[in-house]
Amino acid sequence: AGVIGILKGLQIFDGRALSSYHIVFYLMFLSPLGAFALLLGNYLQCNNNIVFYNIVSQMGKYFFYILTMLLTTYVLKLVYNYDILWTMTLSVFCFVRLLAILLLAFLLPGKIFQKVCSWRRTKTPSVRDWRTTSFHLAINQVLFFVLMAVDLLVAKILVADSARVDQYAAVIMLASFAWVISVSIYSVLPAQISSHIEKTQTTAPEILQGKINQVNIINLLLTLLLGTLAIVFSRPIIGAFGPTYYNAVSQWAFIILVVGYLLGGFSRPAAAVIAYSGNEMWMIYLSIGELIMITVTAVVLTLLYGIVGTAIAAAGTILVKTVVLLLISHYKVGVRSVGFF
């Protein structure tokens, strides 16, 4: 409510519509909150509470969004406007964050939860190390959320046709299911990694490597299936937003993003291995490099090819980061995150 009040004040101050601030809203408010939520989810993962982790992660968030939309549409029969939609979004967002904290309070050992959530400085080395690593992971997650909005921001600034920008925003939302699938599939790994990886080791335990290989096979099969379905049925999928959203340009942007997101999903084990082996600073360095790369390439390619160029820049940056993550995982920790390097 406070955030909406601030944006309303901006609206009164310069007369622009509230929707003009959606990118600012995302970057300034939702990014830090989203990073904090993902950090809480990491604690649940490491405690091997996979079901509860998925409830408070992307999969659960989409479930609560859909449930809220169904209730407000068919039970409360609300007539949607921009303010109602933002209020619904914030309500679900805050509910999932609160649920994550409550689950942590009940599922984590009491002493650990108390020390992690305490503002006081602790002399316990393990908790102090946990806090330091968590701080680094939180920074990386903030960068991740910012990165998810950069391509849309570039399109909004450089693409003159607002209809094209709307189409690209819809395409991003539709293609993001690929991230949800990969996050859910690989959610079983962090507990295994944190249990079997030592900060000083350079070779992966055989049991951990076997587990990663098994999950990779499942992800590969689902990637092939979902990628094929997305390409074949791209027209009705995009058309779900309305007939004006589907055309050859939006179709190509959708296909490019889906392929990039699905292939980028294979970086999940590498990212987890790097984060939980004491090399989490590499994640920050890579995210900064990714931010520079996607900004430069998106500007150039958007000017040349419109939103298709924007999609190429986003997907290409993800693929480059994926390869680098796999190489770091292999050479720094000794884990073959996709089975061959």
Side-chain angles (χ1 to χ4, degrees):
V3 172
I4 290 180
I6 293 172
L7 295 178
K8 277 292 188 183
L10 291 173
Q11 179 185 1
I12 294 172
F13 180 73
D14 67 4
R16 284 192 288 174
L18 183 60
S19 57
S20 300
Y21 297 98
H22 68 284
I23 295 293
V24 176
F25 179 91
Y26 185 88
L27 295 178
M28 293 182 62
F29 298 102
L30 293 190
S31 296
L33 292 175
F36 176 69
L38 288 177
L39 179 62
L40 297 181
N42 287 334
Y43 291 152
L44 290 174
Q45 276 186 301
C46 291
N47 202 41
N48 211 22
N49 299 113
I50 306 304
V51 174
F52 292 111
Y53 164 73
N54 281 297
I55 290 176
V56 299
S57 66
Q58 296 290 338
M59 188 68 76
K61 184 180 71 173
Y62 282 117
F63 169 78
F64 288 118
Y65 279 146
I66 293 172
L67 180 62
T68 303
M69 292 292 290
L70 291 174
L71 289 174
T72 54
T73 302
Y74 296 104
V75 178
L76 300 179
K77 301 185 183 302
L78 292 179
V79 178
Y80 294 122
N81 56 44
Y82 195 85
D83 291 340
I84 290 178
L85 288 174
W86 264 121
T87 302
M88 289 169 52
T89 302
L90 280 175
S91 298
V92 173
F93 190 89
C94 294
F95 171 76
V96 175
R97 303 296 82 85
L98 178 62
L99 182 61
I101 296 174
L102 292 175
L103 287 173
L104 278 169
F106 284 104
L107 297 175
L108 282 184
K111 290 183 179 180
I112 294 178
F113 180 77
Q114 183 179 6
K115 289 179 179 179
V116 169
C117 295
S118 174
W119 291 101
R120 297 180 180 178
R121 297 179 64 88
T122 177
K123 297 181 180 180
T124 306
S126 60
V127 176
R128 193 163 57 242
D129 290 343
W130 195 0
R131 282 183 171 178
T132 301
T133 301
S134 298
F135 177 71
H136 294 159
L137 292 176
I139 293 175
N140 184 65
Q141 293 299 343
V142 170
L143 290 171
F144 173 77
F145 277 98
V146 173
L147 283 164
M148 294 296 288
V150 168
D151 53 340
L152 180 58
L153 179 59
V154 170
K156 183 176 179 60
I157 294 172
L158 298 181
V159 178
D161 188 353
S162 60
R164 290 287 191 216
V165 179
D166 293 341
Q167 291 166 10
Y168 189 71
V171 162
I172 290 177
M173 179 180 292
L174 292 169
S176 64
F177 79 91
W179 284 124
V180 178
I181 297 299
S182 66
V183 168
S184 300
I185 292 174
Y186 287 116
S187 62
V188 299
L189 289 181
Q192 299 287 333
I193 293 171
S194 61
S195 299
H196 293 96
I197 285 287
E198 297 292 337
K199 289 189 176 183
T200 57
Q201 74 179 68
T202 56
T203 58
E206 195 172 315
I207 184 172
L208 175 59
Q209 187 67 68
K211 186 69 174 179
I212 291 175
N213 293 341
Q214 291 174 4
V215 180
N216 275 332
I217 292 174
I218 297 173
N219 188 51
L220 175 62
L221 295 175
L222 282 176
T223 294
L224 293 173
L225 175 62
L226 293 173
T228 302
L229 291 175
I231 293 172
V232 173
F233 297 102
S234 57
R235 180 168 186 168
I237 292 174
I238 300 172
F241 274 81
T244 59
Y245 282 85
Y246 175 81
N247 51 58
V249 174
S250 62
Q251 183 183 32
W252 274 111
F254 174 71
I255 292 173
I256 291 168
L257 284 180
V258 167
V259 172
Y261 288 172
L262 287 174
L263 293 178
F266 285 97
S267 68
R268 298 291 303 182
V273 166
I274 294 169
Y276 296 122
S277 62
N279 296 290
E280 70 280 351
M281 283 301 297
W282 278 98
M283 303 292 295
I284 298 177
Y285 301 149
L286 283 174
S287 294
I288 294 173
E290 184 182 7
L291 180 60
I292 296 172
M293 180 178 175
I294 192 174
T295 302
V296 174
T297 57
V299 169
V300 174
L301 293 176
T302 301
L303 290 173
L304 292 174
Y305 306 111
I307 63 172
V308 173
T310 312
I312 294 173
T317 303
I318 290 172
L319 294 179
V320 170
K321 183 180 180 180
T322 298
V323 173
V324 175
L325 283 170
L326 296 177
L327 291 172
I328 293 175
S329 171
H330 178 59
Y331 288 107
K332 292 287 290 185
V333 191
V335 174
R336 299 186 305 277
S337 300
V338 291
F340 52 86
F341 78 91

